[in-house]
Amino acid sequence: MKRKFLACFAALTLGTMMFAGCSANTGNENKTNEASTTPATSAEASPEASSADTTRKGVKISIVGSTTIAEPMEKLVEAYKATGSPDNIEVQGNGSSAGIKAAIDGTADIGMASRELSEEEKGSGLVETVIAYDGIAVVVNPSNGVTDLTKDQVKDIFEGKITNWSEVGGVDKDIIVVTREAGSGTRGAFEEILKLLDENKASTIVETALVSEGTGAVMATVATKDAAIGFVSEGYLDDTVKAVAIDGVECTVDNVKAGSYTISRPLILVAQPSIKAEAQEVIDFIVGDEGQKIMSDKYISIK
């Protein structure tokens, strides 16, 4: 009897120990499974996302050239960044020729040019993208009584062949010619359109002309000198100067679009065929709907 009791007690004890062991193993297995199937937390996932974002932020895009394009380019870049792009984009306005050269040399990702490229520049293999069109207004002081000039008269004034306003229907005052600096896209386009270049492509603008660095400087000079004449982009016109009609046609957006105002030019971005993807994305944004809406504030949209 005593032996039976001891046998039963031993069996009961062994069963209890086995049950406890199974329960412990089951718990550990559950914990292991939970650990293996729980998604990574945001803290664990963030290093990769953060690394990708940092890499994108490290992409530097350099846009150099025409001062005419530089102002709207600042707004275009701001709008582009607002779409979520973290690129590091720098804009520098130092003239169309400098921008084209920088694109050729590879020191800039994108060059800005407010004139047609020369045959030599075209031969460099740059890819051109027209982003807008612009009329070039011939401007005088608001007090000037002259309201209309022919293209030939404008050419003769800038070459110093016509030197007094009385020769074109104005008052008896010596004309003060105001021009942009060498390398300016506006000046380059103006010279090409009015044939103010000799056989060696040297400017024939009169040497006594006042040279103003930038559109704002031309506007200020003409606004403060009643006998002055200069030229600026149509988009910058305001009541501080007066635009004269050319061959009876006023410098307006509609007239430039119609082709009746003939002193006009394209605004161009240039880049190497091997342009990096991030820089191409900027150009694509500019020729898109939002970019063209910004350009149409002062220029004529390509759409």
Side-chain angles (χ1 to χ4, degrees), residues 68 86 107 133 169 214 235 244 265:
T68 296
T107 55
Y133 294 94
V244 297
R265 58 170 172 174

Side-chain angles (χ1 to χ4, degrees), residues 51-193:
S51 175
D53 189 53
T54 301
T55 301
R56 179 75 176 188
K57 283 183 179 178
V59 176
K60 180 180 177 181
I61 300 171
S62 175
I63 305 176
V64 176
S66 167
T67 56
T68 296
I69 304 177
E71 183 182 359
M73 183 59 71
E74 294 283 1
K75 297 178 182 177
L76 289 163
V77 167
E78 184 179 345
Y80 176 66
K81 287 185 175 181
T83 64
S85 170
D87 296 326
N88 176 15
I89 304 174
E90 294 181 355
V91 178
Q92 180 183 3
N94 57 359
S96 293
S97 296
I100 295 168
K101 185 177 185 302
I104 293 172
D105 296 343
T107 55
D109 297 295
I110 300 171
M112 301 178 287
S114 49
R115 62 169 173 80
E116 296 277 7
L117 271 64
S118 67
E119 289 304 316
E120 182 179 354
E121 290 167 341
K122 286 179 181 292
S124 66
L126 292 178
V127 177
E128 302 176 43
T129 303
V130 177
I131 61 171
Y133 294 94
D134 181 35
I136 301 176
V138 177
V139 295
V140 297
N141 188 279
S143 65
N144 195 320
V146 175
T147 59
D148 194 346
L149 293 169
T150 67
K151 283 178 72 173
D152 287 341
Q153 286 175 328
V154 175
K155 174 179 168 63
D156 287 346
I157 287 172
F158 276 84
E159 288 185 327
K161 296 174 182 176
I162 294 177
T163 60
N164 193 290
W165 282 111
S166 62
E167 298 177 63
V168 288
V171 298
D172 183 13
K173 280 191 176 182
D174 289 338
I175 298 173
I176 300 172
V177 175
V178 183
T179 186
R180 286 288 303 277
E181 73 282 3
S184 158
T186 307
R187 174 171 172 166
F190 189 73
E191 289 173 333
E192 288 182 11
I193 294 169

